[in-house]
Amino acid sequence: MSEDFLTKGIIGVAIEVHTTLGPGLLENAYKECLYYKLCKEGFHVEKEKIMPLVFEEVKLDCGYRIDLLVEDRIVIELKSVVALNDVHLAQTLTYMKLGNYKHGLLMNFNVFRLKEGIRRIVNGY
């Protein structure tokens, strides 16, 4: 399954979750519901995947955790904020770099239409 096809499927499921719940909930509520729904749809999903930092050949657990990792390829970082900003993008890019993942989705569920709160990220690590 291509990353583009996979990403479109994830976005479709996220839109279903957002349509049902609407904006205004805590990030964790969206994460749990999206995790449940993606698993129900047959996706392989890891929740709160620990991402160690490698420094001088030592793996350090610094508390980095990917919200959701789908099919071992797509990093999903969820937010429920007034607006996405550069720090949110940097956080997502950091997870992608640490795990050597090329594709990511930064999703802000605190919007009227989820489509307006999604940023697709492709990086050449």
Side-chain angles (χ1 to χ4, degrees), residues 2 6 8-9 12-13 26 29 45 88 93 101-102 114 118:
S2 74
L6 186 57
K8 287 178 183 177
V13 172
L26 295 175
V45 186
H88 302 128
L93 287 168
Y101 301 112
K102 188 175 178 183
L114 184 60
I118 296 175

Side-chain angles (χ1 to χ4, degrees), residues 31-32 35 45-50 66-69:
K31 178 172 49 190
E32 293 297 327
Y35 173 77
V45 186
E46 292 179 74
K47 179 174 53 170
E48 295 290 326
K49 180 173 174 63
I50 295 171
I66 296 174
D67 285 338
L68 300 173
L69 180 64

Side-chain angles (χ1 to χ4, degrees), residues 56-72:
E56 294 184 356
E57 301 177 8
V58 176
K59 286 186 178 182
L60 304 168
D61 182 1
C62 297
Y64 293 116
R65 286 174 173 61
I66 296 174
D67 285 338
L68 300 173
L69 180 64
V70 180
E71 301 293 338
D72 297 315

Side-chain angles (χ1 to χ4, degrees), residues 4 7 10 14 34 64 68-69 91 101 103 105 112:
D4 190 50
T7 300
I10 294 166
L34 184 57
Y64 293 116
L68 300 173
L69 180 64
Q91 180 183 17
Y101 301 112
H103 298 271
L105 289 169
F112 182 69

